Amino acid sequence: MGLRAPNTHAIIIFLFGLVVLLLAPGCATPPRQPAVPERLQNQAQIPGLEKIRYRIGNPGDMAEMAREGLESVRREQAYLAASGHPGPLPPAVFLAISGGGDNGAFGAGLLNGWTAAGTRPTFKLVTGVSTGALTAPFAFAGPAYDATLKEVYTTISAKDILAPRSLLAALTSDAMADNHPLWKLIAKYVDQALLDVIAAEYARGRLLLVGTTDLDARQAIIWNLTKLAASHDPRALDLFRTLMVASAAIPGAFPPTMIDVEANGQPYQEMHVDGGAMTQVFIYPPSLRIKDETHQLGLQQRKRIAYVIRNSRLDPEWAQVERSTMTIAGRAISSLIQTQGIGDLYRIYLTTQRDGVDFNLAYIPDSFNAPHTEDFDTEFMRKLYAVGYDMAAKGYPWQKKPPGFTAPSGINE
């Protein structure tokens, strides 16, 4: 997932208690409103804020997402024309930021070092999942928010993210920890001024997207935060913050985010959790063939460049595994998450190659081995931030393909 869960010892205690709880009848859990019925999934919307999200796999939503992408190009053309920009469209630069918990300090440092190098572009599209969703709005807003990124990823500690619950509270509630500290942190930095900046960029054809997981439907959801900001709906700021929290809500570790929707005129409630439950990082769904679609509509062709920041190491991390049920299970699950993230890189790479997009990948180098004593260890994050900053300030050595990839014979890499 994106944010790390509490430590292994706490997980073992929690799971043991969960077994006891399941064997004990009559224990209540937090109430919720009815989930959207399966037959109405594709109709569910937030009243008054329709078309600010796209349900992956729903043909109607994918068509709407494609339409939004094409409309963004037209808004960009109109803005450039009004600004007196002559000639062809500039390159479209995409930035995707993965999950990774306190490893997000690497991406924050890289972005700020990129600014220092003087080569950081203005991104046409920024996407984020989990800790990437916490970084993405500031990356989208530009270098004016570099100081905010640095402050968030070099001064906070675990107490700024979560408040552990007692075993009894965890077993009778919906998570091991309370994430009210994270809500307060986001409210401190994500204000109406930031929303106004993001709304203005939507009018210029730029897009900011974050991912969550609809746990009821087991579907990935992409939220268009630029369109939400530009709606100027009185609920926009609160919902913007809510979606940032939702994207980072590790199931079981942090409470899910409940979102009220309507379908077929009836009220329902969706349960949203960490977008990393579905994907660690994304740029756009592979079903969107951006090169073909822009060509068919007669839109101007342009150079496209994708930068992917993977807030994780990609080399295998060795550890002696104790011969115990929970240790083995925990190691296996973390391995699954790691390999899922690498699989996401392959998916993005193959999609960009199909669409003629220049692929560039950054990840934590295997030479980084600073002690990591606890989740959101401030000293660890400061050192990791410095690594990302220094590498980017000197000219980041972007990788042109995922680790271990070899193109089939006859295909250009």
Side-chain angles (χ1 to χ4, degrees):
M1 303 294 173
L3 295 173
R4 285 192 182 89
N7 63 50
T8 302
H9 179 67
I11 293 174
I12 292 172
I13 294 174
F14 174 75
L15 291 175
F16 174 77
L18 183 60
V19 172
V20 175
L21 178 67
L22 293 173
L23 296 176
C27 293
T29 55
R32 62 162 295 178
Q33 298 301 313
V36 180
E38 184 176 3
R39 70 182 187 282
L40 298 178
Q41 290 293 324
N42 293 338
Q43 299 179 34
Q45 296 285 352
I46 298 175
L49 288 171
E50 294 81 5
K51 298 182 179 180
I52 64 164
R53 66 180 191 169
Y54 317 103
R55 189 175 293 272
I56 303 302
N58 174 18
D61 281 2
M62 291 298 92
E64 177 61 27
M65 191 175 186
R67 188 199 66 78
E68 176 65 43
L70 295 171
E71 286 299 318
S72 78
V73 175
R74 294 191 173 100
R75 290 194 300 273
E76 184 182 7
Q77 289 175 322
Y79 168 74
L80 291 173
S83 303
H85 176 80
L89 287 171
V93 185
F94 308 147
L95 174 67
I97 312 172
S98 84
D102 51 11
N103 280 337
F106 172 74
L110 191 156
L111 285 163
N112 287 5
W114 204 349
T115 300
T119 56
R120 177 173 161 181
T122 298
F123 303 109
K124 165 74 174 175
L125 168 70
V126 177
T127 71
V129 173
S130 200
T131 197
L134 305 182
T135 304
F138 307 111
F140 181 85
Y145 284 84
D146 281 3
T148 300
L149 266 183
K150 181 178 181 180
E151 183 174 341
V152 169
Y153 281 100
T154 63
T155 65
I156 67 168
S157 61
K159 65 180 176 59
D160 300 302
I161 302 297
L162 57 91
R165 290 173 172 168
S166 68
L167 177 60
L168 179 60
L171 294 176
T172 57
S173 189
D174 54 5
M176 293 176 63
D178 192 322
N179 62 357
H180 278 311
L182 178 59
W183 280 95
K184 289 177 62 177
L185 185 70
I186 290 175
K188 176 182 177 180
Y189 294 107
V190 178
D191 55 15
Q192 188 59 50
L194 175 61
L195 229 64
D196 291 343
V197 169
I198 292 170
E201 296 307 308
Y202 179 74
R204 297 170 182 173
R206 298 178 63 211
L207 295 172
L208 169 63
L209 310 175
V210 300
T212 66
T213 299
D214 180 343
L215 202 56
D216 296 314
R218 195 180 281 177
Q219 282 191 318
I221 309 294
I222 294 176
W223 298 83
N224 188 337
L225 294 190
T226 24
K227 192 168 188 176
L228 172 61
S231 72
H232 301 296
D233 187 285
R235 301 166 293 173
L237 179 58
D238 182 64
L239 182 56
F240 194 104
R241 293 167 173 170
T242 296
L243 295 173
M244 291 177 67
V245 171
S247 186
I250 303 172
F254 300 113
T257 301
M258 309 306 295
I259 297 179
D260 294 326
V261 298
E262 285 187 6
N264 200 25
Q266 297 297 313
Y268 297 101
Q269 200 171 56
E270 296 175 344
M271 179 182 287
H272 285 257
V273 298
D274 194 326
M278 286 292 172
T279 183
Q280 296 290 305
V281 64
F282 74 96
I283 297 180
Y284 56 88
S287 61
L288 302 184
R289 306 178 68 93
I290 60 173
K291 182 177 182 180
D292 294 345
E293 289 166 1
T294 54
H295 178 73
Q296 290 169 6
L297 291 174
L299 292 175
Q300 180 183 332
Q301 294 299 314
R302 65 199 303 189
K303 183 177 182 180
R304 297 183 176 90
I305 307 167
Y307 293 97
V308 180
I309 299 176
R310 171 65 177 154
N311 289 307
S312 176
R313 291 168 50 144
L314 295 183
D315 58 310
E317 294 185 68
W318 185 91
Q320 178 170 306
V321 181
E322 298 303 318
R323 194 169 178 178
S324 69
T325 301
M326 302 316 304
T327 304
I328 293 169
R331 178 69 170 177
I333 291 171
S334 66
S335 299
L336 177 63
I337 293 171
Q338 174 75 0
T339 53
Q340 178 204 21
I342 294 175
D344 290 334
L345 298 180
Y346 273 71
R347 169 179 46 79
I348 292 173
Y349 176 75
L350 293 174
T351 302
T352 57
Q353 298 311 289
R354 180 198 67 191
D355 293 339
V357 181
D358 181 28
F359 177 88
N360 299 270
L361 171 65
Y363 53 89
I364 298 173
D366 57 15
S367 59
F368 179 75
N369 290 299
H372 192 219
T373 58
E374 62 178 355
D375 294 323
F376 299 99
D377 177 340
T378 307
E379 188 59 30
F380 170 85
M381 289 190 291
R382 287 174 179 166
K383 291 178 179 178
L384 185 53
Y385 173 92
V387 167
Y389 185 96
D390 291 343
M391 292 182 74
K394 295 173 183 176
Y396 192 87
W398 296 93
Q399 303 299 299
K400 304 304 293 184
K401 58 185 178 181
F405 181 83
T406 301
S409 178
I411 297 180
N412 293 328
E413 296 185 9

